[in-house]
Amino acid sequence: MNILTVSPSPHIRSGISTQKIMLAVIAALIPAIIAGTIVFGPRAILMVVFCAMVSIMTELVCCVLMKKESTISDGSAMLTGVLLALNLPVTLPLWQAAVGCIFAIAVVKQLFGGLGCNFANPAITGRIFLLLSVGNDMTTWTKPFYYTDTPALGFFESSGSAALDGLTRATPLASGDAGLLELFLGNVGGSIGETSALALLIGGIFLIITKIISPVTPISYLGSLAAFTFIKVLVTGGNMIEVPYALLSGGVILGAFFMATDYVTTPITAKGKLIFGIGCGILTFVIREFASMPEGCSFSILIMNLLTPYINKFTKTKPIGRKTERRIANEN
Amino acid sequence: MKLGGIKLHHCKNTEDSQSTVLPLPAKVRIPMSMHIGAPCKPLVKKSDIVTVGQKIGDTDAFMSAPIHSSVSGKVTNISDYRMSSGNICKIIEIETDGKQTICPDIQSPDLNNKESFIKAIRESGLTGMGGASFPAHIKLNPKQNIDTLCINAAECEPYITSDYRQMVEAPEEVIDGILNILKFLSIPKCIIGIESNKPKAIELLTQKAEPYSQIKVLTLPCTYPQGAEKVLIYNALGRIVMEGQLPADQGVIVMNVSSAAFVSRYLKTGMPMISRIITVDGDDVIGKKCNITVPIGTPVIDVLNFAECDLDRAERLLYGGPMMGVSIRDVNDPVIKSNNAILAFKKFNKKNASPKPTACIHCGSCIKACPFHLIPPDIAHAYKQKDLQALNDLKVNLCMNCGCCTYVCPAKRPVAETNQFAKAFVTSMNKK
């Protein structure tokens, strides 16, 4: 006879785990990684793998230094690395990418207590950190398929080198010259993972079908951005093509499906997610229209991350069968 | 407004297993507390001879139910017994003589009004057979005006089919029991709530209830915990039992389907609650998954041996279902009135193990799963801070420990367990 194991109920658990969720999100990013590799060449996939490795190593080192149990097996560090890589231009020197990853994991995530305790999305904050510190390299976007007619870029070369000058061009958001179909497929300049709306949508829909993310955030984000752009067009009398343009250009789709749906840094309830998505849409619109920077997606998500505790506070679910304090007092 | 809940694998492996009778065990051990409320005092002494159905435990306390001997034989020992709740009560050990002599006092009760009916129910020793074990004579005698009897036949826990076998094997007992309760308590209508995964039971009961316009069979979706009292009342009648209220405050009495069938049997024969059907199931350590009628007090080991359980491999035994069942510590512990199943599992696989908890990632799964929309992460946080006000505001007292939150948690945190700690903390502090 064995010694019986005694434990409190429930005695069964669902098959879902943190690790599976993280790996599913990484899997959902694979179409975007493939699209990025096709458009920007093999250096794109190198960048993704490199960032993932640096992030995992940073997490490991942090855990060792803080004398905590290693948390690399949950896959969250790898996901941060992959997401950050997809937010970088393909020509960014690797050492800069590494700095971004280290900042994202060590400062944004681990210093605040690790997974579940960070107040902002590490990948988004890592990107903003790089944007503010190496802004020139971060906004030098090569044109698609540049790699077919230039020699591959060395690991430590800066993209600002003379050889590339004639090949780079601004993201369509800044220059405003690209067809809608090109935008949808990703045949435009931009960061590795954000150009192909098609690839991102495939991943996003996979996550919604598997119920890993709620459709509320992406729909409210993209919907409110579209609505505000629509109103703007009505008011200023511009071309209606601006509406799909606003949705397909820049990192909005990547942000809406993969960044604004991060569990840790976004509201918990559906109502909260709706507010979060609309907030992101408004901020993206405002930053794009009125601020000096063309890309508002990262900043809008970061700002909404900061508001998340308050959104959570005001969108709490109300327990069914509760009595209000006043009612309890009356009964007594 | 939709209640939360989760989808589970039904695992009703024994639904087609006709219930059989367990061969009489060599001895039974009958604890003096198998119900919510005060434990009984033993009415017999060591080496007394007892008969089947003889009352061996009773008390004057209001919230209690008497206990009867399930076998005939000799009382060999009366000792202290630690129940799974952690409290201690007396336990009477009876060595069976194999004759099963029936107690001469057993006769069908004389009924002419509500009082005699309630008195008879008390004497039957009936306590809720669904799991909570609430004394039936108290449940059936509320001060409030009752307009609906709600029969709980949801049986939402995986594996368990004992209620289902009752409904399929003797649906007329269920209907007869309901009619008696409706008659003596002057309740105008009855709803029988059954989960949709039991089409045969739904069909049989609908058919049997057809002549009686006051009884309705309601098909409920298969969502755990459909059989939880408050959930059932909400889904069947749309009424919300508020915190601190009993179903009677909403004009409802909820009764388990096997309890209703027992009422019918008792009124006919006068034989008190001395045996019940239990489901014996689990993974492949159980050789013969089955439903069996066992005398109350039968040691678990006898049931397991009958079901050809491989005791060398069984590592985890449960009273009741996998979601709310209680771990069995010792195979000599008895089957009690509220047990509807004994489950045995070998060394738990990945899915069933108590996995290591990792950090909460605020995914909100537990909030979505909670039938009453509680917020377990906030409760855990407030409990850590021992913040009584916050815990009261979060309504942790509504938690019924159904386990949905723990089940869905991707970080494998002991969510329901923490809720229970918080609830106990609130209860103890609010008393002060």
Side-chain angles (χ1 to χ4, degrees), chain B residues 39-54:
Chain B
C40 294
K41 291 185 190 78
L43 301 176
V44 289
K45 300 185 300 296
K46 198 174 164 181
S47 57
D48 277 2
I49 302 293
V50 294
T51 48
V52 177
Q54 182 183 336

Side-chain angles (χ1 to χ4, degrees), chain B residues 352-374:
Chain B
N352 304 348
S354 309
K356 220 164 159 209
T358 55
C360 171
I361 53 170
H362 304 278
C363 63
S365 305
C366 48
I367 302 173
K368 247 186 264 167
C370 178
F372 302 139
H373 304 177
L374 298 176

Side-chain angles (χ1 to χ4, degrees), chain A residues 2 11 14 16 69 321 323, chain B residues 243 312 315 322 356 407 412:
Chain A
N2 284 310
H11 307 278
S14 64
I16 192 81
E69 206 176 324
K323 282 182 185 167
Chain B
E243 55 175 313
D312 290 331
E315 273 205 5
K356 220 164 159 209
Y407 179 83
K412 309 295 170 198

Side-chain angles (χ1 to χ4, degrees), chain A:
Chain A
M1 187 73 217
N2 284 310
I3 293 170
L4 294 175
T5 310
V6 175
S7 62
S9 63
H11 307 278
I12 47 173
R13 303 292 180 94
S14 64
I16 192 81
S17 67
T18 305
Q19 190 188 32
K20 276 189 193 165
I21 291 171
M22 298 298 170
L23 293 181
V25 178
I26 293 171
L29 286 168
I30 287 174
I33 297 171
I34 294 172
T37 310
I38 293 171
V39 177
F40 298 113
R43 199 172 192 273
I45 199 156
L46 170 80
M47 191 73 121
V48 171
V49 174
F50 177 76
C51 284
M53 301 288 284
V54 173
S55 299
I56 293 171
M57 287 309 294
T58 312
E59 175 115 335
L60 188 64
V61 169
C62 284
C63 287
V64 170
L65 287 180
M66 295 177 181
K67 298 192 174 64
K68 291 198 302 188
E69 206 176 324
S70 159
T71 49
I72 53 171
S73 62
D74 64 24
S76 62
M78 189 177 14
L79 176 59
T80 299
V82 172
L83 272 177
L84 182 58
L86 295 181
N87 270 300
L88 301 176
V90 70
T91 48
L92 192 78
L94 289 183
W95 70 268
Q96 292 180 2
V99 169
C101 291
I102 294 168
F103 180 82
I105 297 291
V107 178
V108 185
K109 189 177 165 196
Q110 289 297 340
L111 285 187
F112 284 90
L115 181 66
C117 302
N118 48 307
F119 67 93
N121 187 319
I124 286 267
T125 322
R127 176 188 177 159
I128 291 173
F129 175 74
L130 287 177
L131 200 63
L132 297 179
S133 38
V134 288
N136 192 33
D137 286 347
M138 277 295 285
T139 48
T140 309
W141 286 291
T142 55
K143 67 179 183 187
F145 300 105
Y146 80 95
Y147 61 94
T148 52
D149 44 41
T150 24
L153 200 66
F155 277 15
F156 295 96
E157 257 175 87
S158 165
S159 57
S161 64
L164 279 163
D165 272 353
L167 298 168
T168 56
R169 69 177 190 191
T171 174
L173 201 61
S175 63
D177 58 342
L180 278 182
L181 184 68
E182 280 189 314
L183 273 173
F184 186 69
L185 294 176
N187 189 14
V188 289
S191 302
I192 295 170
E194 64 183 29
T195 57
S196 173
L198 176 68
L200 290 167
L201 283 175
I202 292 172
I205 288 167
F206 164 76
L207 289 183
I208 290 173
I209 288 172
T210 51
K211 295 196 173 164
I212 286 172
I213 63 168
S214 149
V216 175
T217 318
I219 290 173
S220 58
Y221 186 170
L222 298 176
S224 61
L225 180 60
F228 276 96
T229 315
F230 180 74
I231 293 168
K232 178 203 134 190
V233 173
L234 281 187
V235 172
T236 59
N239 191 339
M240 271 303 159
I241 200 161
E242 278 193 47
V243 178
Y245 216 89
L247 295 181
L248 292 175
S249 58
V252 175
I253 298 205
L254 180 64
F257 282 96
F258 294 94
M259 311 285 223
T261 54
D262 171 37
Y263 290 146
V264 179
T265 55
T266 64
I268 290 176
T269 61
K271 212 197 284 175
K273 288 181 166 77
L274 184 73
I275 296 171
F276 186 91
I278 293 173
C280 283
I282 295 172
L283 286 171
T284 306
F285 174 78
V286 169
I287 294 172
R288 280 183 175 180
E289 289 300 320
F290 304 108
S292 57
M293 262 177 254
E295 177 55 87
C297 178
S298 306
F299 280 106
S300 70
I301 294 174
L302 179 64
I303 292 168
M304 291 312 287
N305 281 165
L306 299 178
L307 292 175
T308 294
Y310 297 95
I311 300 175
N312 271 337
K313 194 174 166 188
F314 292 111
T315 55
K316 273 185 186 172
T317 54
K318 299 209 167 69
I320 293 173
R322 76 196 178 283
K323 282 182 185 167
T324 55
E325 288 212 341
R326 192 190 293 167
R327 182 161 170 188
I328 295 171
N330 283 348
E331 281 175 9
N332 293 338

Side-chain angles (χ1 to χ4, degrees), chain B residues 147-382:
Chain B
D147 59 38
T148 311
L149 173 68
C150 198
I151 295 295
N152 187 349
E155 205 161 49
C156 56
E157 280 256 17
Y159 296 101
I160 308 176
T161 57
S162 55
D163 284 348
Y164 175 74
R165 289 315 301 175
Q166 171 67 56
M167 289 187 275
V168 175
E169 288 172 24
E172 63 285 346
E173 281 181 359
V174 176
I175 301 294
D176 182 59
I178 291 170
L179 289 172
N180 273 303
I181 296 167
L182 293 184
K183 185 173 91 186
F184 287 107
L185 302 186
S186 327
I187 301 173
K189 68 172 176 159
C190 168
I191 292 176
I192 306 176
I194 311 180
E195 271 194 359
S196 59
N197 62 350
K198 306 172 189 63
K200 214 167 138 194
I202 294 169
E203 193 195 316
L204 274 170
L205 282 178
T206 312
Q207 197 186 328
K208 296 278 175 196
E210 206 164 16
Y212 312 103
S213 60
Q214 66 271 45
I215 304 178
K216 256 200 211 98
V217 177
L218 183 71
T219 308
L220 300 164
C222 291
T223 317
Y224 177 85
Q226 190 64 260
E229 197 167 62
K230 289 179 175 183
V231 175
L232 182 69
I233 293 172
Y234 184 80
N235 288 341
L237 295 158
R239 297 180 198 172
I240 298 172
V241 180
M242 305 294 281
E243 55 175 313
Q245 280 190 336
L246 287 172
D249 292 310
Q250 294 294 332
V252 192
I253 290 177
V254 180
M255 198 177 204
N256 175 265
V257 65
S258 293
S259 302
F262 171 82
V263 169
S264 161
R265 287 198 299 275
Y266 174 71
L267 296 183
K268 281 196 186 109
T269 62
M271 181 56 81
M273 181 131 185
I274 55 157
S275 67
R276 65 160 301 149
I277 304 181
I278 62 170
T279 300
V280 189
D281 201 344
D283 53 21
D284 59 2
V285 295
I286 295 281
K288 201 169 79 183
K289 298 175 176 176
C290 54
N291 282 296
I292 40 178
T293 305
V294 298
I296 303 294
T298 305
V300 168
I301 184 89
D302 287 302
V303 177
L304 290 177
N305 282 336
F306 179 81
E308 292 163 14
C309 175
D310 183 351
L311 287 169
D312 290 331
R313 285 195 300 143
E315 273 205 5
R316 212 178 271 226
L317 303 177
L318 303 177
Y319 283 129
M323 289 303 288
M324 286 190 79
V326 178
S327 285
I328 298 174
R329 304 152 297 169
D330 185 342
V331 286
N332 292 310
D333 281 357
V335 171
I336 61 170
K337 286 177 185 175
S338 55
N339 286 165
N340 40 18
I342 287 177
L343 304 182
F345 298 95
K346 58 176 183 253
K347 197 173 167 63
F348 269 41
N349 55 34
K350 237 187 200 164
K351 233 173 154 179
N352 304 348
S354 309
K356 220 164 159 209
T358 55
C360 171
I361 53 170
H362 304 278
C363 63
S365 305
C366 48
I367 302 173
K368 247 186 264 167
C370 178
F372 302 139
H373 304 177
L374 298 176
I375 311 171
D378 287 9
I379 292 173
H381 186 73

